[in-house]
Amino acid sequence: TANDATPSIVLAEFAQSIEEDERTLYGPGDVIHIDVIFDQEVAIFPSVDNDTLPRLMLNAAGAYAELVDEPPHGLLSSKLCFEYLVQEGHSQLELDYLSSETSLVPNDYTIEDAFGRNAILVLPALGLGSSLSASKKIEISHKRPTITNIDVDVPSGEYGAGQVINFSVSFDRQVVVSGIPLL
């Protein structure tokens, strides 16, 4: 019966917000969301008092994504959401997990089904259609975006109070701007 099956991972993918983002290059300070999907609902439970959340080990030197949007202990879900905050010094041409066998580390938690069976934490084989890198090619840069050019919409000269001058700032790669930047 279906209740006899041990839960296992069927898909690892970048979250929809990342897949829809046109950027393919991310750098320090950027946050990348990763979803791990199981073939049935699972729950997480703390196994010791240290409370180190489950992690997904990534192939950028020393990088990992940590469980976020943690469901309350015992609440069942077929999806676990992880978040990777890109750090200075991380660099990788194609972001992926380290290995299918050992990259999902439960740390101080257990991941179980409704019957208390521990989930099989083997991720899809690297490079397969259900693996992380198959959902989108993402490159990690070790440095922040730099300004390549600044233009203004008026000729050089003197301008007084109340006059509007629009600046256009170009970067060496796409950036995300929040709000209205002011000088």
Side-chain angles (χ1 to χ4, degrees), residues 50-106:
N50 292 342
D51 235 16
T52 302
L53 291 169
R55 290 182 177 167
L56 184 61
M57 306 310 290
L58 302 172
N59 63 348
Y64 62 85
E66 194 163 68
L67 182 70
V68 292
D69 298 330
E70 175 188 344
H73 305 309
L75 183 66
L76 293 167
S77 175
S78 60
K79 177 169 72 172
L80 295 180
C81 303
F82 293 82
E83 185 175 88
Y84 164 45
L85 174 62
V86 181
Q87 303 291 318
E88 300 266 350
H90 287 184
S91 183
Q92 185 63 40
L93 288 177
E94 188 169 359
L95 185 64
D96 210 339
Y97 37 84
L98 278 176
S99 79
S100 59
E101 298 287 326
T102 60
S103 288
L104 182 52
V105 181

Side-chain angles (χ1 to χ4, degrees), residues 11-15 19 128-138:
L11 178 65
E13 64 184 355
F14 293 106
E19 288 186 21
L128 288 185
S130 55
S131 69
L132 183 61
S133 62
S135 69
K136 182 175 183 178
K137 183 176 177 11
I138 289 182

Side-chain angles (χ1 to χ4, degrees), residues 100-123:
S100 59
E101 298 287 326
T102 60
S103 288
L104 182 52
V105 181
N107 287 322
D108 298 332
Y109 285 79
T110 59
I111 301 172
E112 306 171 358
D113 68 5
F115 302 99
R117 292 180 294 234
N118 287 332
I120 298 170
L121 302 181
V122 175
L123 293 154

